[in-house]
Amino acid sequence: LHPRPPLASALPYVPNGPAKETTMDEPSVAHWSIAPWFSLGHSTWTDPENGDDGSLDQLTVGHEQPGSMGLRVQYAFDRRFALITGIQYARKGSLRGTVQTSPVLSTYYNLSGDYLEIPLSLKFTLPLENKDLYVRAGGLLQFNMHSGSDRVAMTDASRKQLSTLVLARGSMGTALDIGIGAQFRLVRQWALFIEPSYQYSLSPVVKHPSFDLLPFNPRIHTFSLATGLSFQFH
């Protein structure tokens, strides 16, 4: 008689559990990014307080091409909402000449229209497959760039009186800033954006109680087209 081989041990029974769900992780958000950029535009000088009384016809608006350049810093809360700040240099066209309001009253203008600006705006983004559409809105703090040379002088020949106001660098103004753009993803952390925008001065160029009766105290509004490169920190 031959001995019977030992029985193979039974494999342990493992019940079939529910299949594990596979989930795709959402792309991580690059919270910080920087963007060097520049723009070309068109600026208009208006005076909503006095209206069109012909004063601007006596002045010369410079032929310098309005434009801006700067560096934006962005912090994204998520893929849709972000906060933008930075620093930029803006040229909005010069204004020079003399407005004669009467035989004895005249006002001389020498304004460069050059500003150092600090933006602060909120941005809403609509992410698409290979690009982002966005809209942003906020404000600008504007600082006069030509301290000592930008000035307004009022002459009263009947009183033999000359009053001169020199705009200091700290003469701050504010402006509304709105933009709509598209950002196209390039390689790695780089993207290219194109953005039409509109800026409107909320305060006049001359902000001084002694010069509140200027024949023309302009506010500047500018349409511009900007482009730049965005670098995201992952």
Side-chain angles (χ1 to χ4, degrees), residues 25-47:
D25 294 334
E26 293 185 358
S28 59
V29 177
H31 290 290
W32 290 99
S33 64
I34 60 173
W37 62 276
F38 75 96
S39 72
L40 296 176
H42 174 75
S43 293
T44 304
W45 299 61
T46 62
D47 186 347

Side-chain angles (χ1 to χ4, degrees), residues 31-137:
H31 290 290
W32 290 99
S33 64
I34 60 173
W37 62 276
F38 75 96
S39 72
L40 296 176
H42 174 75
S43 293
T44 304
W45 299 61
T46 62
D47 186 347
E49 301 294 333
N50 298 317
D52 185 12
D53 61 353
S55 296
L56 187 59
D57 297 335
Q58 304 179 55
L59 299 171
T60 301
V61 179
H63 297 292
E64 305 91 345
Q65 174 64 54
S68 302
M69 59 184 300
L71 182 70
R72 288 182 184 174
V73 179
Q74 174 178 295
Y75 178 80
F77 302 101
D78 52 34
R79 294 193 67 196
R80 294 184 181 272
F81 292 96
L83 179 68
I84 296 175
T85 186
I87 191 168
Q88 59 200 49
Y89 166 74
R91 168 175 286 182
K92 301 179 184 293
S94 60
L95 186 70
R96 293 181 174 89
T98 301
V99 175
Q100 192 78 35
T101 52
S102 77
V104 295
L105 294 177
S106 63
T107 306
Y108 168 74
Y109 295 83
N110 183 24
L111 303 173
S112 67
D114 294 348
Y115 294 93
L116 181 68
E117 299 178 333
I118 298 178
L120 185 63
S121 60
L122 290 174
K123 176 181 175 183
F124 173 77
T125 301
L126 178 63
L128 299 177
E129 183 177 355
N130 60 350
K131 61 180 176 293
D132 296 333
L133 303 179
Y134 66 87
V135 59
R136 62 171 187 82

Side-chain angles (χ1 to χ4, degrees), residues 3 7 42 45 77 96 109 121 156 170 174 181 193 197 203 215-216 223 231-232:
L7 295 176
H42 174 75
W45 299 61
F77 302 101
R96 293 181 174 89
Y109 295 83
S121 60
D156 187 344
T174 56
F193 69 88
S197 64
S203 54
F216 186 72
F223 292 93
F231 178 80
Q232 299 176 336

